[in-house]
Amino acid sequence: MSRERIKRELPPVQEHIDKLRKVVEDGNYYGALQMYKSISARYVTAQRFSEALDILFSGACIELEHGLVNCGADLALLFVDTLVKAKSPCNDETLDRIRCMFKLFPRVPVPPHLVDVSDDEDVQNLQESLGEARSRVENLTSFLRAAIKWSAEFGGPSTGYPELHAMLADYLYTECPELDMVRISRHYVRAEDPEKFASMLINFMGRCYPGEDDLAIARAVLMYLSMGNMKDANFMMDEIKRQAETKNPELSESDLIRFISYLLETLQRDALPLFNMLRVKFKSCIDREPLLNELLDEIAERFFGVQRKNPLQGMFGDIFKMMG
């Protein structure tokens, strides 16, 4: 059948939306998912992308409203794939739809890990809850990563639309059973909201293991600096110090925090010898995490023109950061 004939034979999209809503409400969730996919594909084939997007958006919202996270996420991801096929620009209307779908992803408190290990039912319930939480996070992450990539390719900033990074970072921090602060921080530094990022780190300081707090702060500041963002790096450090005065006064005594404070002062002037001297003096605390040295290499290149030993390191690093 020719594309033009398909275009003529496709009915008004609202008919499908109403029909499929009823299928979901009748409880045939999996059947509805397959129908959403097949019907939207016909509109895509006919290059009626706007109508395909209407169907997929409606389907994702309805499935998520009914608690079908896997089905809703599947359609949300297909929505973004269709944006790419249509070469749809990153604009407020489409971002509003992405925001709407994001808000429908459930936020379910994960029970504390401290359970009676002698009670098989408690252990099983905890394992099930953790598995469901990981699945929700994976689904949401796939959707927003695709949206970030789409926004970067079709009119947004080259690193992706900041609010999308903020949404993903927030969900990862509040919903993921195993916190990956490196991954969370990589999105927050691209979210253009250092105040919110600082608040998250202050919250993290109250729940992390000893020795993780200064590392998380140093990592965040160095990530900003590796992007050439001195303003937000300084804001982050000032805000953390201000709030830590009462909540965690011993933080300022950390060697790593002292190093970061000296580094911020050094980068305000052309002082490569001092930069190198600081790296040697504070080597033991910098070596606590290999990523810190990688970020310092990027900072040396950006601020002082020092070429890295492996010129591909930065290029591949940027690719992996976008993937995260």
Side-chain angles (χ1 to χ4, degrees):
M1 187 180 293
S2 71
R3 183 176 293 168
E4 288 302 318
R5 186 176 173 186
I6 293 174
K7 280 186 178 183
R8 290 194 303 269
E9 292 186 355
L10 289 174
V13 71
Q14 192 61 44
E15 290 183 15
H16 288 304
I17 291 174
D18 294 340
K19 176 184 176 182
L20 291 172
R21 175 183 288 275
K22 188 173 187 312
V23 175
V24 174
E25 291 174 348
D26 287 343
N28 187 4
Y29 306 122
Y30 182 75
L33 173 64
Q34 300 310 311
M35 292 171 70
Y36 276 116
K37 287 183 174 181
S38 61
I39 293 172
S40 64
R42 290 169 60 193
Y43 282 86
V44 169
T45 300
Q47 295 191 335
R48 290 167 62 170
F49 296 111
S50 176
E51 290 153 300
L53 290 168
D54 289 344
I55 292 170
L56 292 168
F57 172 68
S58 173
C61 291
I62 293 168
E63 296 275 17
L64 288 169
E65 286 168 357
H66 283 76
L68 281 301
V69 179
N70 290 342
C71 295
D74 221 5
L75 295 174
L77 183 57
L78 196 51
F79 176 89
V80 179
D81 289 344
T82 305
L83 289 175
V84 175
K85 289 177 182 176
K87 299 182 179 179
S88 295
C90 179
N91 56 34
D92 289 338
E93 179 183 356
T94 303
L95 288 170
D96 279 343
R97 285 183 157 189
I98 292 173
R99 292 183 191 106
C100 182
M101 289 184 280
F102 167 73
K103 289 177 181 177
L104 291 172
F105 276 81
R107 293 177 181 261
V108 181
V110 177
H113 289 36
L114 299 176
V115 299
D116 183 358
V117 294
S118 64
D119 189 322
D120 291 342
E121 186 176 350
D122 276 358
V123 173
Q124 183 177 348
N125 289 340
L126 176 61
Q127 289 175 339
E128 289 176 358
S129 295
L130 294 176
E132 290 169 1
R134 293 187 188 101
S135 178
R136 288 193 297 271
V137 170
E138 288 171 5
N139 277 312
L140 186 279
T141 299
S142 295
F143 164 50
L144 283 184
R145 276 173 50 189
I148 289 168
K149 185 178 179 182
W150 156 77
S151 69
E153 291 179 0
F154 295 97
S158 60
T159 56
Y161 194 71
E163 187 182 353
L164 299 178
H165 283 289
M167 289 154 60
L168 180 51
D170 178 67
Y171 200 89
L172 288 172
Y173 182 69
T174 59
E175 303 303 310
C176 193
E178 299 89 9
L179 286 182
D180 182 345
M181 292 302 294
V182 173
R183 187 181 182 192
I184 292 167
S185 297
R186 279 176 174 161
H187 287 291
Y188 260 125
V189 296
R190 288 163 173 77
E192 297 183 0
D193 192 349
E195 187 171 355
K196 188 172 183 180
F197 190 10
S199 296
M200 184 276 289
L201 286 174
I202 292 294
N203 177 272
F204 177 70
M205 287 163 58
R207 58 188 282 196
C208 67
Y209 291 109
E212 288 186 336
D213 47 3
D214 61 342
L215 193 57
I217 294 163
R219 188 191 300 121
V221 173
L222 292 180
M223 283 184 178
Y224 275 127
L225 292 174
S226 71
M227 298 167 64
N229 190 344
M230 279 283 292
K231 178 182 176 183
D232 288 345
N234 278 291
F235 175 89
M236 171 71 69
M237 201 62 194
D238 291 343
E239 186 67 13
I240 293 289
K241 284 182 176 179
R242 183 183 68 79
Q243 295 196 40
E245 284 179 4
T246 55
K247 298 180 180 178
N248 191 0
E250 66 273 14
L251 182 68
S252 60
E253 300 174 7
S254 158
D255 284 345
L256 195 52
I257 296 301
R258 288 173 53 223
F259 166 70
I260 294 297
S261 297
Y262 292 143
L263 177 65
L264 287 169
E265 294 177 9
T266 301
L267 293 179
Q268 293 180 23
R269 56 186 187 271
D270 188 9
L272 178 59
L274 181 55
F275 174 84
N276 290 331
M277 185 181 75
L278 286 172
R279 291 190 70 170
V280 172
K281 180 176 176 59
F282 289 93
K283 184 178 186 303
S284 61
C285 63
I286 296 170
D287 286 346
R288 285 167 55 190
E289 181 175 277
L291 177 60
L292 300 187
N293 273 304
E294 292 177 25
L295 291 169
L296 285 167
D297 287 345
E298 292 182 26
I299 292 166
E301 182 176 40
R302 182 176 290 274
F303 285 86
F304 303 116
V306 177
Q307 292 296 313
R308 278 171 286 193
K309 294 178 182 178
N310 180 3
L312 294 178
Q313 179 185 349
M315 180 181 74
F316 286 122
D318 289 342
I319 293 172
F320 289 130
K321 288 169 192 173
M322 285 294 290
M323 292 289 288

